[in-house]
Amino acid sequence: MTPEARARQTIDALLTQAGWHVCDVANANIHAGDGAVKGVAIREFPLNPGHGFADYLLYVNGKACGVIEAKKEGATLSGVEVQSARYAQGLPATLPAWRRPLPFVFESTGVETRFTNGLDPSPRARTLFAFFRPDLLFAWLQSAVPPSAHVLAAGTLSTGEPASALLAPSGTFLARLQHMPPLVTEWGQGGASYQLWPAQIKAIQNLETSLAANKPKALIQMATGSGKTFTAISFIYRLIKFGGARRVLFLVDRGNLARQTKKEFDAYASPHNAYKFGEEFIVQHLQSNQLDTSARVVICTIQRMFSMLKGRELAEEDDEVSFLPLPLAGEGRGEGDLFKDPEPIGYNPAIPIESFDIVVTDEAHRSIYNLWRQVLEYFDAYLIGLTATPNKQTFGFFNQNLVMEYGHAQAVADGVNVNYDVYRIKTEVTEAGAKVDKGYWLETQDKATRRKTAWQLDEDFEYEPTELDRAVQTPDQIRTMVRTLRDKWQVDLFPHRQELPKTLVFAKDDNHAEKIVEILREEFGRGNEFAQKITYRTTGTSPEQLIKDFRTAYYPRVAVTVDMIATGTDIKPVEIVMFMRSVKSRSFFEQMKGRGVRVCNPTDLMQVNPGEHLRKDHFVIVDCVGVCERDKTDSRPMDQKKSVPLDKLLQEVALGNVQDEVLSSVAARLSRLDKDLDEDDQARIIEASGGHSLRDLARGIVQALNAEEDEGLPPTVRAELVEAQRTQAAQPFTNPTLRELILKLRQKADFVIDTVTQDNLLHAGFAEGSDRAKELVQSFEAFIAQHKDEITALQILYNRPTRAPLKFEDIKALADALHSPPHLIDESALWQAYAALNKTRVKGTSQRRLLTDLVSLVRFAMQQDNELVPYPERVQANFKAWLAQQSSLPLPLGEGRGEGSPPPHPPFTPEQLHWLEMIRDHIAANLGIEIEDFGYAPFEQEGGLGKVHQLFGAELPTVIETLNRELAA
């Protein structure tokens, strides 16, 4: 069979699967078919003289509508477009046609198919996974026909809309995108009012411009917490209502995110009528393999859609695991069925390629790899990516078409996100590892069964920081970190709070998380509800319920996770994010950090912190491992199958699985194990493998994965060569003796629990010179310079830096200006920032800030003071100096304390001194005191204005004037 014949055989099969009746000219029946829409593809159809033969002529309901030009596999297709366009113009005039030239033109090799839709404005060829069903072509043809005169004369349609609506742009989705109405940015009223942020407006408008320009992919980057999902729902609503999108697929990577998204769709109120989204359009959360054909939006995990396209079921619990490896086709969930080399997705007639006009993929930076990428590329749909943390590969996949870029810094400036401080905890073991002398008893723990065994050292045992909580666990290291959080959170992080704010802790793995939870409960002296583990291995209460409780209930105060809450999950009340694991991926770190950036309204914050009057103006990263200090990359980790045990990985490779992710994970595990083996074990491996060390085997796998392909070879030959290289690299693992030895040595290198080493705290404090601190200080000092001639408090402090007659209202106005967008500068965070940059010159970092501390901050920023001291302390120092001065002066005559000689005792009675101290404290908090202030607390409780007159008599106005002048800093 010739290559051309093989290609046509494949094309015949694809057409048949898509519902076309394929036949030769001699036995053609243009009305053949079973469905309401009848599609017929006639092979080798003769055209007008000079136009040759169409490889396939397409009929829909008895009229010609398109052609297919077939080429052999490997042929490039863009150069064939002129030829196929000529065929579209060559239909004999005597034959029926929907329009001339024929609007639908395909070029195909059976492997690659391109399509040009002549009904589109400025028709442009695009790549398809397969062929459309006849029904879609018929729908396009019908919508391109203008309404008849009698329909227009009727005045209204059955829907109640004016018949003139049929004169609006129709036809293809792209045609309708050229005439989108203006975007409504504010709607509703009262408690049900809505407003798009400027960033959301720009994202929607830019996206619609991109779609109207027929760009197939678009990427929206919006900072975590800045309303990506609301933005997506807004543009989806418009694309359905006004763009005529038939159906939209919204992909997520975990079931809990799908449920969260469904709730947001249901709550979305239309800007154009009184309906909610779910009332106007059906929204399906796909939890089975049954697609609701009436749904306009389908929310689905990417792993479920992959399973559906492969024609297999997905267990409900597998929807909850991010990018879970999938079972083999047709198999159950037994020992060897975790995943398989993802054979390319084939055309699935039950889910045609035209099922969706739009595919939105949330967390797009994670969904563009390997088998998941096939899901995105299966459908003939515009692809829209949402992400907070794109990397180079994300930009490349979306053709560098970034329609919106809205980063964390801008989101903070707009009040959409809160910023953060970094609080660093360093311990001896975390920084340097530890050494346990021989003779001591340690424990080993089987990771699978968690059974512990005592182990007496017959030689010194030493380990590096990188081995912590992977190969070695040191409980006192965990305890030291937790103890530091317990002792410092109220002193350093949130001095005005009574209860630990909601805290999210990132652990290395499930065993690590288990131990952290145990120690948190012990050290804080709290019950089980105080700290909960939320991982994929959580049993009993569902992870989803635990996440809901963490978000909306008082308990748990602390959630410990590995990566289940690292991305996407919306938990706005989180105010402490504690890293007890390192992260090398920049994107993943930003996602994890993003759990704390979300703004939380005071009502929701008080719901989980009852009795405390507060607002969320920042969050704190407690960095126990230096994660904020390390360089990060956009690369993906080698071990991409962390949830799969090593024995399953080796078994899959032995059975011929040479999937990228499988081989890469095996190489990562072997490389790690190689470092744990002694010389004897290394020799055993070399003997069992036929002369290769574990490092050699890992290196061979990596080289096979990275082998360059010869672009000059046909695709099938290239694929065979790649397969052969990988198979050769995996060949040693077909030996069961080697596999058993590797697993035995892996068990031997299992978890060691160091119960001997006592850890010591080296440092606990805000990160020195952090970027966040520099940005905040620079922003504050720029604000002062910009507004020094406009804001009264700044005018006074600039012009009269000492003894300034400031009023409390002036400082309040300054604070309001600082707290407002786009500045959003909080005096507590600013004080900590100055401390981080120059700790020796900043006092009182652990104290609760008063509004009057702004005076100290401004004077320090203007370099009028050499030290940043809390305003009350400055007032206290001035008060002491004034008292000392009074003691050195002779008393006035007539006061009964001598005839003008220096006093032998203090000039004030104890009661007078007590009232002077109350006046001092009032000035410290309010910048000054007036006569009427004595009618309020705390003066009123002790006699008020009458008492102070009794004590100071006619000298009271002089005392007030003097103290206001002398104590004000």
Side-chain angles (χ1 to χ4, degrees), residues 667 669-671 673-675 677 682 685-686 689 692-699 733 738 742 745:
R669 308 274 182 99
L670 296 185
S671 179
L673 179 58
D674 180 74
K675 299 174 183 177
L677 302 185
Q682 292 276 17
I685 288 287
I686 290 172
S689 66
H692 304 288
S693 67
L694 290 183
R695 185 177 300 176
D696 294 335
L697 294 172
R699 186 182 294 118
F733 303 104
L738 175 62
I742 289 173
L745 294 177

Side-chain angles (χ1 to χ4, degrees), residues 135-411:
D135 311 62
L136 178 67
L137 303 188
F138 179 70
W140 280 342
L141 292 164
Q142 287 286 92
S143 65
V145 176
S148 62
H150 75 273
V151 171
L152 291 174
T156 59
L157 305 174
S158 60
T159 60
E161 296 178 280
S164 59
L166 292 176
L167 291 174
S170 58
T172 65
F173 179 51
L174 179 60
R176 291 189 290 271
L177 286 172
Q178 311 305 312
H179 304 277
M180 296 290 284
L183 176 65
V184 176
T185 60
E186 295 183 42
W187 67 98
Q189 56 186 353
S193 60
Y194 303 88
Q195 181 176 1
L196 294 172
W197 297 97
Q200 294 173 318
I201 295 170
K202 184 177 178 182
I204 295 169
Q205 291 175 338
N206 287 358
L207 173 65
E208 290 182 0
T209 299
S210 174
L211 293 173
N214 200 16
K215 295 184 178 180
K217 297 177 181 179
L219 181 63
I220 295 175
Q221 177 196 359
M222 294 182 69
T224 301
S226 61
K228 287 196 305 295
T229 305
F230 191 84
T231 302
I233 296 172
S234 296
F235 70 64
I236 288 171
Y237 180 86
R238 285 174 55 81
L239 292 175
I240 292 174
K241 188 172 185 68
F242 303 114
R246 293 170 298 113
R247 192 180 296 119
V248 176
L249 176 62
F250 196 107
L251 289 171
V252 297
D253 67 348
R254 291 198 303 277
N256 70 310
L257 298 185
R259 287 185 288 275
Q260 183 175 303
T261 302
K262 175 65 162 61
K263 289 177 182 177
E264 293 192 52
F265 268 97
D266 290 342
Y268 183 89
S270 169
H272 301 278
N273 53 48
Y275 294 112
K276 293 293 181 69
F277 196 117
E279 296 169 341
E280 189 170 358
F281 304 114
I282 295 174
V283 179
Q284 180 188 19
H285 172 201
L286 197 59
Q287 296 174 285
S288 68
N289 280 17
Q290 187 60 49
L291 188 67
D292 183 351
T293 56
S294 63
R296 303 298 293 274
V297 176
V298 176
I299 304 167
C300 178
T301 63
I302 198 166
Q303 55 265 37
R304 177 167 295 282
M305 184 55 65
F306 177 87
S307 293
M308 290 175 64
L309 292 175
K310 295 300 297 176
R312 60 175 73 138
E313 294 290 335
L314 183 72
E316 185 176 340
E317 62 269 20
D318 292 345
D319 248 349
E320 306 304 321
V321 182
S322 179
F323 295 166
L324 183 83
L326 297 169
L328 300 179
E331 295 186 0
R333 299 180 55 78
E335 289 299 306
D337 64 354
L338 286 171
F339 50 82
K340 177 179 169 57
D341 179 19
E343 68 277 11
I345 287 175
Y347 180 76
N348 186 336
I351 309 173
I353 63 170
E354 65 267 25
S355 296
F356 303 98
D357 283 332
I358 298 285
V359 173
V360 178
T361 175
D362 199 9
E363 308 298 352
H365 60 283
R366 298 207 305 277
S367 59
I368 60 174
Y369 299 98
N370 300 325
L371 71 166
W372 310 119
R373 180 170 181 153
Q374 297 181 80
V375 175
L376 304 182
E377 295 178 338
Y378 176 84
F379 297 104
D380 177 53
Y382 290 95
L383 186 57
I384 302 167
L386 308 177
T387 182
T389 55
N391 54 39
K392 292 177 182 177
Q393 189 149 11
T394 316
F395 289 127
F397 178 80
F398 286 93
N399 301 336
Q400 311 295 332
N401 185 26
L402 182 64
V403 298
M404 182 62 199
E405 184 175 16
Y406 187 66
H408 173 67
Q410 187 61 49

Side-chain angles (χ1 to χ4, degrees), residues 414-655:
D414 291 345
V416 179
N417 278 180
V418 297
N419 216 333
Y420 62 92
D421 296 317
V422 178
Y423 190 85
R424 184 73 164 92
I425 295 177
K426 294 182 181 180
T427 74
E428 288 182 356
V429 174
T430 311
E431 297 299 307
K435 177 183 177 182
V436 185
D437 296 333
K438 67 178 181 179
Y440 283 100
W441 287 84
L442 303 183
E443 293 179 340
T444 61
Q445 184 179 54
D446 184 297
K447 286 187 176 180
T449 65
R450 295 183 57 80
R451 180 177 295 169
K452 296 179 181 178
T453 306
W455 174 36
Q456 186 175 25
L457 298 179
D458 54 10
E459 59 182 22
D460 293 349
F461 178 73
E462 193 169 355
Y463 53 91
E464 299 294 323
T466 53
E467 298 176 82
L468 281 167
D469 302 302
R470 296 290 191 201
V472 183
Q473 186 179 89
T474 308
D476 199 59
Q477 180 239 7
I478 300 173
R479 193 175 301 279
T480 302
M481 293 175 177
V482 169
R483 211 173 263 162
T484 303
L485 176 68
R486 180 199 67 191
D487 295 342
K488 297 289 187 179
W489 78 262
Q490 199 167 21
V491 175
D492 289 351
L493 308 187
F494 294 93
H496 56 290
R497 302 286 282 276
Q498 301 304 311
E499 172 66 289
L500 178 73
K502 289 283 185 171
T503 300
L504 180 62
V505 180
F506 286 112
K508 289 183 179 177
D509 57 25
D510 198 72
N511 281 305
H512 190 209
E514 192 85 8
K515 194 65 177 179
I516 292 171
V517 168
E518 176 188 323
I519 292 175
L520 275 165
R521 293 169 178 172
E522 287 179 13
E523 291 300 324
F524 277 83
R526 307 288 285 270
N528 292 348
E529 71 279 0
F530 175 75
Q532 290 286 336
K533 182 184 73 172
I534 306 179
T535 70
Y536 293 119
R537 296 188 182 184
T538 299
T539 56
T541 305
S542 69
E544 184 180 6
Q545 183 60 47
L546 288 172
I547 291 172
K548 181 180 179 183
D549 292 343
F550 188 48
R551 181 190 296 121
T552 61
Y554 188 81
Y555 289 118
R557 302 307 298 174
V558 185
V560 183
T561 189
V562 178
D563 58 13
M564 188 172 187
I565 313 180
T567 61
T569 307
D570 181 3
I571 306 177
K572 294 178 180 179
V574 168
E575 293 181 85
I576 299 176
V577 177
M578 188 171 184
F579 282 90
M580 296 180 72
R581 60 171 287 189
S582 190
V583 183
K584 294 180 181 178
S585 164
R586 180 186 62 83
S587 295
F588 195 40
F589 173 67
E590 291 297 328
Q591 288 282 316
M592 297 165 84
K593 188 174 70 176
R595 298 314 96 208
V597 304
R598 296 176 186 272
V599 172
C600 185
N601 69 59
T603 302
D604 292 343
L605 198 59
M606 288 181 64
Q607 180 179 333
V608 298
N609 299 282
E612 300 202 46
H613 299 285
L614 42 89
R615 64 189 179 94
K616 182 177 178 180
D617 52 25
H618 74 295
F619 75 101
V620 178
I621 293 176
V622 178
D623 184 359
C624 301
V625 293
V627 66
C628 295
E629 301 161 6
R630 295 193 178 97
D631 292 334
K632 298 169 188 70
T633 69
D634 287 334
S635 61
R636 305 180 75 213
M638 281 183 64
D639 191 351
Q640 298 170 39
K641 298 292 183 183
K642 292 181 183 295
S643 61
V644 182
L646 180 58
D647 60 335
K648 301 294 193 300
L649 285 168
L650 293 175
Q651 184 68 39
E652 286 293 322
V653 174
L655 294 175

